[in-house]
Amino acid sequence: MTLALAVVVLTLALPWGAAAATRRLAALLPPREACAALTGAALLLAGGTVAALIGLFHVPFLASLERIPPAQAAAAWPAAVPVAAVAGLVLAFRTVLLVRRWFERRSLLAHAWASASAGDAVSEGDLLVVRDCVPQAFALPGWRGRGGRVVVTTGMLRTLGPAEREVLLGHERAHLAGRHHLLSAAAHLAAAVHPALRTLRPALDFHLERWADESAASAVGDRRLAGTAIARAALAAASAEKAGGAHGPLLAIGAGPVPQRVEALLRPVPVRPQARRTQAAAAGLVAAVAVSALLGLVLPYGLHEYVELAAEGLRAR
């Protein structure tokens, strides 16, 4: 059972390295592909962690199904019951945290819709203009049958020129078209399963903003204009937040490290890496994430097979 326990420990420890590898991989990719890599890794690693915890929690039950007496099971692996109890407690705690975060996100979305719909607001298609001197702009996902909206305050519109407004609207519409809120929610919920996955969320938020930035720049056909508009809008939103203004929900124009976003817009359009070394590094990082996730996913089956072999050995005595 020592080998099985070593596999369990490895399964629960690998996400730390796999998360770091995924962030490195995302830095090598264009924004869209980086978001897919980060979200996929978060879900796979979270699934592997859950599978590992469930496998540990079920070891005593598997032994009972194979009709192994508790005394013999304890003699074969003295830590079986304590480890199963710890796994059950961790699984219960992470489940509660996951459910709590789910309801927090739903509450945030409901509050954002209520705030945007209240007061004197003008709706023009997918655009919702709120009369407020505080500069804000954010993508508001659909809610209870209502389609997504781009929410912009009059304060933000006064901050930008006509061309810069097109960049702003293109940025937020890219969030809605790409359903970026689902990717952000997946990473946020996955972080409740394993603490190592918390580091993936800031990276994903940054690349989601970069994805929207690139979409806006492509729509207006001027990368320098897009960079200027993003910088001005983000600076206005940040100043309002420091002054005590309300902060919008996720996918706001000022999210993420703005200087890096503007710097990226001043460079040529990002393309997939072509260098062999870069491709080899990306392949290695993908393999690390895949191995980490698969170890957790196959662990319950491996533990079941081990218990069956142990039962056959006890019966043969």
Side-chain angles (χ1 to χ4, degrees), residues 128-205:
L128 188 63
V129 180
V130 179
R131 296 187 182 277
D132 193 336
C133 61
V134 178
Q136 284 189 9
F138 52 85
L140 188 57
W143 175 254
R144 294 183 176 178
R146 291 178 287 186
R149 295 287 188 274
V150 174
V151 181
V152 183
T153 63
T154 53
M156 178 63 79
L157 293 178
R158 286 195 295 266
T159 301
L160 305 176
E164 293 171 335
R165 294 174 190 170
E166 291 301 317
V167 174
L168 173 69
L169 298 180
H171 175 98
E172 301 302 344
R173 282 171 176 149
H175 281 316
L176 294 177
R179 303 182 71 81
H180 293 176
H181 63 285
L182 297 180
L183 304 182
S184 178
H188 184 57
L189 295 176
V193 175
H194 196 295
L197 304 183
R198 297 174 186 171
T199 61
L200 295 181
R201 187 185 174 195
L204 177 61
D205 288 344

Side-chain angles (χ1 to χ4, degrees), residues 14-173:
L14 268 179
W16 295 99
T22 304
R23 296 196 305 273
R24 291 284 301 273
L25 171 61
L28 301 174
L29 298 174
R32 184 192 297 265
E33 288 78 6
C35 292
L38 288 164
T39 306
L43 294 176
L44 283 173
L45 293 172
T49 300
V50 171
L53 291 172
I54 292 176
L56 284 176
F57 180 63
H58 277 77
V59 167
F61 300 99
L62 293 175
S64 65
L65 290 175
E66 296 296 336
R67 298 181 180 179
I68 300 177
Q72 291 181 337
W77 188 24
V81 174
V83 168
V86 172
L89 290 174
V90 172
L91 191 61
F93 173 75
R94 292 297 172 181
T95 301
V96 171
L97 184 59
L98 182 67
V99 173
R100 180 180 177 182
R101 288 192 177 181
W102 168 260
F103 281 104
E104 284 178 350
R105 291 189 67 88
R106 288 182 60 85
S107 177
L108 174 64
L109 184 57
H111 177 72
W113 266 103
S115 300
S117 301
D120 190 7
V122 179
S123 179
E124 300 178 7
D126 67 343
L127 179 61
L128 188 63
V129 180
V130 179
R131 296 187 182 277
D132 193 336
C133 61
V134 178
Q136 284 189 9
F138 52 85
L140 188 57
W143 175 254
R144 294 183 176 178
R146 291 178 287 186
R149 295 287 188 274
V150 174
V151 181
V152 183
T153 63
T154 53
M156 178 63 79
L157 293 178
R158 286 195 295 266
T159 301
L160 305 176
E164 293 171 335
R165 294 174 190 170
E166 291 301 317
V167 174
L168 173 69
L169 298 180
H171 175 98
E172 301 302 344
R173 282 171 176 149

Side-chain angles (χ1 to χ4, degrees), residues 226-276:
T228 302
I230 295 298
R232 183 170 297 178
L235 180 61
S239 300
E241 182 181 351
K242 290 181 180 179
H247 187 276
L250 297 177
L251 306 179
I253 186 65
V258 177
Q260 289 90 323
R261 291 167 53 193
V262 174
E263 181 183 1
L265 285 171
L266 298 180
R267 297 195 298 264
V269 179
V271 296
R272 293 182 178 179
Q274 299 298 326
R276 290 185 178 180

